């Protein structure tokens, strides 16, 4: 049970108890008020003093203090002081009280689901979700999926990335009112494990999953190895309208002009800026590499625990950064075809898969990266995406390179120190380049070794998961997916999220790009090599020119060992 679900259950119980007091009048209201306020404040990050807790108990002050003191002695509440000399302490639930409260919420949740949700008594409470109350028109789940689960016990199996979006999707399916699946039907794993498990699943005689998620750049490998089904015809028969997706986003589903998946969410890497700091100092929001460095140096003050930029330069994110920054300088990492708006990843052959890392543009990118390290947080060369986001979330940096899916927490996270103080801009341009907005995200695909009897249900599930209604529901819950024009232009969706408006505007202005990370069959090898060599350059183990040459040579050897269809 996560924090959000716990709070929903507790809020329900709090509202449910009030009528009961009028019936019996014997409930210990004061103890409930104390526990409810203490647990809620702990999860939402608000400090609680003994005076405040006594006040919310509605008991006379002396009686309330004695009640709280008794709970401290019983090991339910603990005092914490910021220092040994501090006179004012805060109160917190102990591990024992937290355990008792969570157990109570779980039992309540199970009872509600049994009565209202059609759940079996023997089903564990962790197998379904206590969702938020529905407002307006509900999202109607596919009737065939519901019927097959209830009458035949058929439950689809999913392999997904372990992130907030897919966790919310799991919760939508396992909501005790939808009754479409149990949480056990969803395997959420780290991105590296997702890749390995996707490959391992393809080697099985029969797939263990009905639907799998793959990172967009993996498409060439999964498609060329025959691990996923071509589903273009199924997509059209399901009613999914490809025209409702931005062309750059829909193109991520295609390898060698064949459609293999549906974009379930897109995320755009942008530059997040502290609008309050920029307005206070009079700096314009950055449009170029030099603008970023100039502003970052002005804000950088490590002695005050303030940094110019939060950045992730561990091996894996560093590879993406290099490819994105190369695109900002007007060059692709591979010799893919040029178009009037950039490059095309369609119909690639061996000629258009040669690396062009060892170049003047590569040197310009490394120069920019060295300067970013100078104004970034300590330990930047070991930082991943979540580490950089956490720095910015705590208000410790003026800027951050961030994916919009992670940036959603800047407004949604209870403990965010930057709420309503963030402006977003497309990635600043480098010399000879433009402001680019690189696309990332995941595709939903059907394994090629799926049990044929399960294919119709998997197709129906995929269509529902990517439907306008389901995507809009996720936007309402704070996820700036917006891969469909009909969602990003929906007044209700736009009104709920600055990021939805921003990403929608990029799409409408045709500023979304998918070519910076070409989905070639050797993408993961390319990502690993670039990450290793560029990391060596930034850490001083190699010169910039040596790192670029080694990356070029290593990738050339890998490509020479492979053959690709024209």
């Amino acid at each position: 049970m996560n924090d959000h679900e716990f709070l929903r259950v507790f809020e329900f119980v709090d509202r449910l108890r009030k009528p009961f007091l009028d019936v019996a009048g014997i409930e210990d209201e004061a103890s409930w008020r104390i526990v409810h306020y203490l647990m809620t404040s702990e999860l939402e990050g608000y400090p609680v003093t003994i005076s405040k807790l006594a006040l919310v108990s509605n008991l006379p002050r002396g009686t309330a203090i004695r009640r709280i003191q008794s709970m401290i002695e019983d090991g339910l509440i603990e005092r914490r002081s910021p220092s040994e000399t501090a006179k004012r302490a805060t109160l917190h639930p102990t591990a024992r009280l937290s355990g008792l409260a969570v157990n109570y919420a779980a039992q309540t949740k199970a009872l509600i689901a049994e009565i209202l949700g059609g759940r079996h008594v023997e089903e564990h409470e962790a197998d379904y979700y206590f969702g938020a109350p529905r407002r307006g028109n509900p999202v109607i789940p596919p009737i065939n999926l519901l019927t097959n689960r209830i009458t035949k016990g058929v439950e689809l199996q999913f392999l997904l990335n372990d992130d907030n979006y897919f966790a919310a999707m799991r919760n939508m399916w396992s909501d005790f009112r939808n009754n479409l699946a149990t949480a056990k039907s969803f395997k959420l794993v780290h991105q590296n494990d997702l890749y390995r498990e996707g490959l391992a699943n393809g080697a099985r005689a029969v797939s263990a999953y009905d639907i799998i998620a793959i990172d967009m750049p993996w498409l060439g490998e999964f498609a060329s190895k025959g691990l996923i089904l071509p589903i273009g015809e199924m997509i059209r028969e399901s009613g999914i309208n490809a025209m409702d997706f931005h062309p750059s986003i829909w193109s991520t589903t295609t390898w060698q002009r064949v459609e293999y998946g549906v974009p379930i969410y897109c995320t755009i890497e942008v530059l997040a800026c502290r609008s309050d700091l920029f307005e206070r100092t009079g700096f314009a929001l950055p449009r170029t590499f030099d603008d970023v460095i100039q502003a970052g140096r002005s804000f950088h003050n490590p002695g005050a625990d303030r940094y110019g930029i939060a950045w992730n330069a561990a091996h894996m994110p560093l590879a993406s950064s290099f490819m994105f920054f190369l695109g900002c300088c007007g060059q692709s990492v591979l010799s893919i075809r040029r178009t009037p708006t950039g490059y095309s990843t369609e119909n690639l052959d061996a000629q258009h898969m040669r690396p062009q890392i060892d170049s003047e543009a590569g040197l310009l990118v490394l120069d920019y990266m060295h300067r970013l390290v100078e104004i970034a947080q300590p330990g930047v060369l070991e930082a991943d995406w979540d580490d950089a986001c956490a720095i910015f979330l705590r208000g410790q940096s003026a800027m951050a390179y961030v994916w919009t899916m992670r940036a959603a927490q800047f407004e949604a996270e209870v403990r965010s120190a930057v709420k309503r103080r963030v402006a977003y801009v497309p990635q600043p341009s480098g010399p000879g380049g433009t402001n680019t907005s690189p696309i990332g995200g995941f595709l939903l695909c059907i394994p090629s070794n799926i049990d044929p009897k399960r294919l119709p249900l998997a197709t129906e599930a995929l269509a529902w998961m990517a439907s306008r209604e389901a995507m809009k529901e996720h936007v309402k819950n704070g996820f700036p997916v917006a891969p469909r024009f009909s969602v990003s232009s929906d007044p209700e969706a736009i009104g709920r999220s600055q990021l939805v408006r921003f990403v929608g505007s990029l799409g409408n202005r045709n500023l979304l790009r998918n070519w910076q990370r070409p989905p070639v069959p050797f993408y993961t090898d390319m990502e690993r090599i670039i990450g290793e060599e560029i990391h060596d350059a930034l850490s001083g183990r190699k010169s910039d020119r040596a790192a670029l040459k080694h990356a070029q040579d290593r990738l050339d050897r890998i490509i020479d060992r492979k053959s690709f269809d024209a």
Side-chain angles (χ1 to χ4, degrees):
M1 177 178 289
N2 62 34
D3 291 355
H4 296 292
E5 189 180 8
F6 176 89
L7 290 171
R8 285 170 180 159
V9 174
F10 250 46
E11 177 63 22
F12 175 84
V13 173
D14 189 47
R15 294 173 61 188
L16 185 67
R17 289 182 66 262
K18 292 174 183 175
F20 181 73
L21 292 175
D22 295 334
V23 174
I26 58 173
E27 182 70 76
D28 188 347
E29 180 69 15
S31 292
W32 168 257
R33 286 176 174 273
I34 289 171
V35 172
H36 176 262
Y37 187 80
L38 195 64
M39 288 297 301
T40 302
S41 298
E42 183 73 10
L43 293 178
E44 295 183 345
Y46 296 117
V48 177
T49 63
I50 192 168
S51 297
K52 181 62 177 178
L53 200 56
L55 183 64
V56 300
S57 73
N58 273 3
L59 290 172
R61 180 173 174 80
T63 305
I65 296 296
R66 287 192 294 274
R67 174 71 62 86
I68 295 168
Q69 185 60 43
S70 175
M71 295 177 74
I72 292 173
E73 293 170 358
D74 289 342
L76 299 175
I77 300 175
E78 63 177 334
R79 287 193 183 93
R80 295 181 195 166
S81 299
S83 67
E84 294 182 0
T85 58
K87 296 181 179 179
R88 190 168 184 173
T90 54
L91 301 183
H92 303 265
T94 61
R96 179 187 169 204
L97 177 57
S98 295
L100 291 170
V102 169
N103 184 58
Y104 172 62
Q107 292 181 53
T108 304
K109 167 188 167 181
L111 179 61
I112 295 167
E114 180 185 341
I115 295 171
L116 300 178
R119 291 283 175 179
H120 300 297
V121 176
E122 64 271 14
E123 214 171 323
H124 193 272
E125 60 87 15
D127 292 340
Y128 50 87
Y129 185 70
F130 192 93
R134 287 182 179 145
R135 296 178 176 87
N137 297 324
V139 179
I140 301 173
I143 189 64
N144 285 341
L145 294 173
L146 184 59
T147 301
N148 272 270
R149 181 175 192 266
I150 293 175
T151 62
K152 301 179 183 178
V154 176
E155 232 173 271
L156 295 181
Q157 301 298 311
F158 302 85
L159 175 66
L160 306 173
N161 190 54
D162 188 6
D163 62 31
N164 289 342
Y165 183 86
F166 286 122
M169 178 180 288
R170 174 193 60 198
N171 293 341
M172 182 186 292
W173 277 70
S174 61
D175 188 294
F176 77 99
R177 293 155 303 186
N178 285 337
N179 207 18
L180 277 171
T182 64
K184 290 186 294 187
S185 297
F186 295 80
K187 185 173 183 178
L188 272 62
V189 297
H190 185 272
Q191 191 170 356
N192 291 337
D193 296 324
L194 180 69
Y195 172 75
R196 287 189 285 266
E197 177 61 13
L199 294 180
N201 184 65
R204 298 181 177 119
V206 179
S207 174
Y209 312 99
D210 301 291
I211 292 177
I212 64 173
I214 66 169
D215 198 0
M216 288 174 175
W218 302 344
L219 179 63
E221 179 175 1
F222 275 73
S224 62
K225 289 181 175 178
L227 304 180
I228 49 180
L229 285 177
I231 59 172
E233 191 60 35
M234 287 182 274
I235 288 172
R236 282 177 280 281
E237 290 177 358
S238 72
I240 294 178
N241 182 10
M243 299 297 290
D244 193 24
F245 292 78
H246 187 280
S248 291
I249 295 173
W250 188 259
S251 69
T252 63
T253 71
T254 303
W255 172 248
Q256 305 298 53
R257 299 186 178 180
V258 178
E259 295 159 323
Y260 286 93
V262 175
I264 189 57
Y265 78 67
C266 71
T267 181
I268 315 300
E269 191 173 82
V270 298
L271 185 69
C273 303
R274 283 282 300 277
S275 55
D276 55 332
L277 298 181
F278 276 83
E279 290 168 4
R280 189 184 310 156
T281 58
F283 275 111
L285 295 176
R287 292 184 55 82
T288 67
F289 285 179
D290 287 342
D291 290 345
V292 173
I293 300 303
Q294 182 182 3
R297 285 173 176 164
S298 175
F299 293 123
H300 194 58
N301 186 3
D305 208 19
R306 170 72 58 78
Y307 312 104
I309 196 165
W311 188 40
N312 31 250
H315 288 76
M316 186 175 176
L318 189 60
S320 292
S321 293
F322 180 83
M323 289 185 267
F324 294 158
F325 294 159
L326 203 61
C328 292
C329 294
Q331 181 179 303
S332 171
V333 69
L334 299 178
S335 58
I336 56 179
R337 294 181 180 89
R338 269 193 174 275
T339 69
T341 58
Y343 294 88
S344 172
T345 60
E346 293 184 2
N347 202 29
L348 296 180
D349 53 26
Q351 175 188 352
H352 295 96
M353 294 189 199
R354 307 308 304 191
Q356 42 188 25
I357 299 169
D358 187 8
S359 63
E360 287 305 308
L363 287 172
L364 290 171
V365 169
L366 268 173
D367 173 70
Y368 178 52
M369 287 178 154
H370 282 295
R371 291 187 288 161
L372 284 178
V373 169
E374 294 172 0
I375 59 171
Q377 77 278 12
V380 62
L381 294 179
E382 286 75 46
D384 64 15
W385 294 285
D386 289 330
D387 296 327
C389 275
I391 293 287
F392 190 80
L393 187 77
R394 293 196 296 266
Q396 293 177 279
S397 70
M399 297 175 287
Y401 275 106
V402 62
W403 289 104
T404 52
M405 184 58 71
R406 284 183 166 86
Q409 63 187 303
F410 298 157
E411 299 299 330
E413 173 63 46
V414 172
R415 295 176 176 86
S416 173
V418 296
K419 194 171 293 186
R420 293 180 293 278
R421 292 188 289 173
V422 184
Y424 300 96
V425 296
Q427 288 218 357
S429 64
T434 59
N435 302 110
T436 64
S437 300
I439 298 170
F442 288 85
L443 307 174
L444 288 183
C445 304
I446 298 177
S448 55
N449 55 344
I450 187 175
D451 182 342
K453 296 177 182 177
R454 301 172 71 89
L455 181 57
L457 284 181
T459 303
E460 185 174 359
L462 189 151
W464 183 61
M465 295 161 84
S467 68
R468 176 185 182 276
E469 292 74 21
M471 287 187 176
K472 182 179 175 182
E473 190 71 13
H474 286 303
V475 170
K476 287 161 60 178
N477 287 331
F479 298 103
V481 287
R484 301 183 71 134
F485 285 122
S486 59
V487 176
S488 61
S489 62
D490 185 282
E492 185 177 9
I494 293 172
R496 288 175 177 269
S497 172
Q498 173 191 0
L499 278 168
V500 171
R501 293 193 298 273
F502 176 69
V503 174
S505 72
L506 293 177
N508 292 335
R509 290 151 53 200
N510 198 32
L511 294 178
L512 303 179
R513 303 286 181 262
N514 73 332
W515 51 263
Q516 289 96 329
R517 296 187 301 171
V520 289
F522 52 87
Y523 176 80
T524 53
D525 288 327
M526 179 169 68
E527 183 180 59
R528 173 179 52 80
I529 289 169
I530 291 175
E532 291 171 356
E533 296 295 341
I534 301 305
H535 197 274
D536 281 350
L538 294 185
S539 61
R541 287 190 291 268
K542 292 179 181 177
S543 70
D544 290 358
R545 287 193 178 275
L548 294 176
K549 185 178 187 308
H550 291 165
Q552 178 99 5
D553 292 345
R554 290 175 64 187
L555 194 51
D556 264 327
R557 288 195 294 272
I558 285 178
I559 295 171
D560 288 339
R561 288 199 302 266
K562 298 178 182 287
S563 62
F564 305 106
D565 295 330

